[in-house]
Amino acid sequence: MPMISPSRRLRRTPFSAGVEAAGVKGYTVYNHMLLPTVFHSIEEDYRHLKAAVQVWDVACERQVELRGPDAGRLMQMLTPRDLRGMLPGQCYYMPTVDETGGMLNDPVAVKLAEDRYWVSIADSDLLFWVKGLAYAWHLDVIVDEPDVSPLALQGPKADDLAARVFGDAVRDLRFFRYGFFDFDGSQMLVARSGYSKQGGFEIYVEGAERGMPLWNALMEAGRDLDVRAGCPNLIERIEGGLLSYGNDMTRDNTPHECGLGRFCSTQTAIGCVGRDALLRVAKDGPTRQIRPICIDGDLPPCLEAWPVTDGAKRVGQVTSAASSPDFGINVAIGMLRMTHWEAGTALTVHTSDGPRNAVVQEEFWL
Ligand code: THG
């Protein structure tokens, strides 16, 4: 494949120097920024992620900051998740919808104070939607993208590595909570979260100039833990059922179709844009939904939605697929019509290399 030409629009990150020194082999573009996708091979990266600890440049998880007296009101306009119980120190996975209930993003919200939040976005320009709402409603709030770049530590040895750099207290952090920990004489926001099921942390690095010193300290401290540069891993995230906005779901889908109904309390999310539309669809439930699917045979990379059929009838699509070394099968994420989403249902997936037999699974693989 020809290369993608770099330019100012394709933003580098505060960690790009470290990523390149570590021998990154491939990038994708995410929020107009470089996101590494492979260092050794997807399979080798996968094995290492599940055995040791990796440092991930996820600066592309850009923050939309909401700051001011109306920040809380604006936050609740963005999501059908009821935010009234959210406290500083907490992170919430927060489906974000438009006036039709269509998914605009699936960010992690970070509550810094009653009047200050970060929305850690997936790959869509949510900033413009949030600024538009703030302007149209004359809200007393500043919305912008601060100089904050997440760096993730993921893998079974993430606790040991984090403890060496931030102190043992970091081990006590609960899932989706954050705290401030000292690094090099200043405080850093560290949360127990991240885009894998292997456990770990995300450090929200404030100020690009603090990026490489932290990167280097982590690599140094983790030498005997076999720490490596890594990145979100396609195979691991499909096994774990972690959704990818723009791939597995789009503005065409409601949170319920994405299996994110458990993060919605639309009835009490007063002020949420799209609330009426979501109340209507939540009443009867979705007629199609994301499902784990096992596919037979050799697979090409999934670069477009693969149609799923039952005989001549189209019943859905597969949007992410990969061969799993640990499970010895092809794992996949698809959206299936309710007539065909029950576990055990046999289907045909039309890959770009031809049809394959497939079966709906009960659960993701973890
Ligand atoms: N961390 C941060 N920002 C992000 C991501 C992240 N922004 C982009 C992208 N990832 C957003 N998408 C997701 C998808 C899944 C999760 C987080 C962000 C996730 N889900 C848990 C799960 O499915 O097991 C459940 C979370 C919960 O129970 O509350 O972690 O990774 N900063």
Side-chain angles (χ1 to χ4, degrees):
M1 184 142 111
M3 71 177 274
I4 292 178
S5 301
S7 75
R8 184 177 184 215
R9 282 186 297 98
L10 209 181
R11 300 180 289 179
R12 292 169 58 81
T13 88
F15 316 109
S16 289
V19 161
E20 281 159 20
V24 63
K25 285 208 180 111
Y27 283 115
T28 188
V29 180
Y30 194 101
N31 287 324
H32 316 277
M33 190 172 260
L34 292 171
L35 170 60
T37 52
V38 57
F39 282 85
H40 293 85
S41 67
I42 304 266
E43 291 75 20
E44 168 53 23
D45 292 354
Y46 163 91
R47 285 190 203 289
H48 179 265
L49 169 62
K50 287 184 151 191
V53 56
Q54 298 182 344
V55 179
W56 293 2
D57 173 0
V58 283
C60 66
E61 296 169 354
R62 302 313 295 166
Q63 308 307 301
V64 175
E65 178 167 308
L66 284 65
R67 184 166 24 102
D70 286 333
R73 179 172 169 214
L74 181 53
M75 283 293 288
Q76 191 64 81
M77 293 174 81
L78 301 177
T79 182
R81 186 161 179 179
D82 187 335
L83 301 181
R84 284 175 303 172
M86 190 181 193
L87 299 168
Q90 292 184 330
C91 310
Y92 272 15
Y93 186 36
M94 183 183 100
T96 300
V97 302
D98 69 12
E99 75 286 358
T100 71
M103 292 281 295
L104 290 178
N105 206 290
D106 67 331
V108 174
V110 180
K111 182 166 183 173
L112 298 162
E114 277 315 315
D115 60 355
R116 188 170 174 230
Y117 297 80
W118 285 339
V119 179
S120 185
I121 60 172
D123 187 23
S124 78
D125 292 314
L126 194 71
L127 180 72
F128 301 153
W129 170 255
V130 183
K131 286 182 85 72
L133 286 175
Y135 179 75
W137 286 93
H138 305 285
L139 299 183
D140 187 1
V141 62
I142 291 167
V143 179
D144 61 9
E145 184 185 296
D147 178 10
V148 171
S149 296
L151 185 68
L153 313 180
Q154 298 286 298
K157 298 182 180 170
D159 274 63
D160 293 333
L161 177 56
R164 290 181 189 185
V165 172
F166 297 109
D168 268 316
V170 81
R171 296 179 188 274
D172 300 331
L173 266 182
R174 289 153 65 195
F175 187 60
F176 267 55
R177 302 296 175 104
Y178 72 81
F180 290 94
F181 297 86
D182 181 80
F183 171 73
D184 224 20
S186 60
Q187 298 290 104
M188 283 201 178
L189 194 161
V190 182
R192 188 181 289 279
S193 56
Y195 197 64
S196 88
K197 289 289 197 177
Q198 303 310 308
F201 302 91
E202 293 182 302
I203 306 144
Y204 291 74
V205 179
E206 289 191 71
E209 73 288 348
R210 297 167 82 200
M212 280 313 296
L214 177 62
W215 176 283
N216 290 330
L218 288 164
M219 289 299 176
E220 190 65 35
R223 206 179 291 272
D224 64 304
L225 299 174
D226 190 28
V227 67
R228 289 189 197 166
C231 52
N233 183 275
L234 177 71
I235 309 168
E236 197 274 346
R237 74 110 181 142
I238 297 172
E239 287 179 357
L242 295 172
L243 304 182
S244 169
Y245 186 79
N247 286 319
D248 302 319
M249 72 284 205
T250 68
R251 217 172 64 219
D252 219 31
N253 304 115
T254 65
H256 304 281
E257 291 176 345
C258 304
L260 301 179
R262 68 186 185 281
F263 299 106
C264 301
S265 25
T266 313
Q267 197 65 244
T268 57
I270 308 297
C272 168
V273 173
R275 182 166 168 268
D276 293 348
L278 279 181
L279 284 173
R280 273 197 301 279
V281 300
K283 193 160 78 71
D284 299 319
T287 57
R288 55 182 181 180
Q289 200 169 51
I290 295 266
R291 281 290 186 271
I293 300 169
C294 177
I295 309 177
D296 287 350
D298 278 348
L299 291 186
C302 184
L303 306 183
E304 65 230 312
W306 290 337
V308 176
T309 60
D310 172 17
K313 207 167 56 214
R314 184 169 170 147
V315 300
Q317 59 182 17
V318 160
T319 47
S320 298
S323 168
S324 162
D326 284 357
F327 294 94
I329 51 162
N330 296 313
V331 293
I333 297 174
M335 180 83 66
L336 298 175
R337 300 226 305 243
M338 67 189 297
T339 51
H340 289 76
W341 72 26
E342 199 178 323
T345 306
L347 304 164
T348 304
V349 176
H350 299 265
T351 77
S352 44
D353 278 0
R356 299 287 187 273
N357 294 324
V359 180
V360 183
Q361 303 299 295
E362 186 71 47
E363 293 181 300
F364 281 96
W365 296 267
L366 291 161

